[in-house]
Amino acid sequence: MRLFLSFEEGKIIVLYFDYCASAPIHPKVNQLMSDITRDIFANPSSMHKFGLEANELVEESRKCISQRLNHYMLWYLRSSTHQCTIVTNSYSLQNNA
């Protein structure tokens, strides 16, 4: 699941995607990920050298995706509870404004 929030002209725009963990991977994406994970394989949350390298790649990728989508704000959330809370709160904000 991914949640993208963008604030435009006082309105909150919510795009909510849930394709589960079984989404097919495009062959080009599969090849790119295979190439990258040969060299950068650590958990990006780790504080050792390899984790910091992985984190740098993740952050660069996030910036690239955000620019490509032309969004004011791009959030990556790790739990469905967190995602549902944000969607619910965003909906409440829109309807109470």
Side-chain angles (χ1 to χ4, degrees):
M1 288 184 208
R2 294 293 184 252
L3 177 69
F4 303 86
L5 292 179
S6 176
F7 297 88
E8 297 177 11
E9 299 178 15
K11 295 181 182 178
I12 299 174
I13 299 169
V14 178
L15 303 175
Y16 187 67
F17 303 96
D18 184 356
Y19 202 16
C20 300
S22 59
I25 298 174
H26 190 281
K28 288 183 180 180
V29 173
N30 191 29
Q31 183 62 51
L32 180 62
M33 289 192 62
S34 177
D35 294 345
I36 289 172
T37 56
R38 270 194 294 268
D39 299 321
I40 301 175
F41 49 82
N43 180 342
S45 297
S46 297
M47 296 307 295
H48 50 66
K49 177 186 175 196
F50 301 113
L52 295 174
E53 289 174 356
N55 185 302
E56 185 177 331
L57 179 64
V58 169
E59 292 305 319
E60 288 175 20
S61 299
R62 287 179 175 177
K63 287 178 188 174
C64 180
I65 292 168
S66 181
Q67 290 171 354
R68 295 287 303 248
L69 294 175
N70 198 24
H71 272 264
Y72 178 74
M73 204 179 331
L74 179 63
W75 295 348
Y76 289 84
L77 306 172
R78 293 191 171 124
S79 76
S80 58
T81 301
H82 192 197
Q83 294 164 358
C84 290
T85 300
I86 289 180
V87 168
T88 303
N89 289 344
S90 298
Y91 180 79
S92 296
L93 286 172
Q94 282 183 332
N95 290 319
N96 290 333

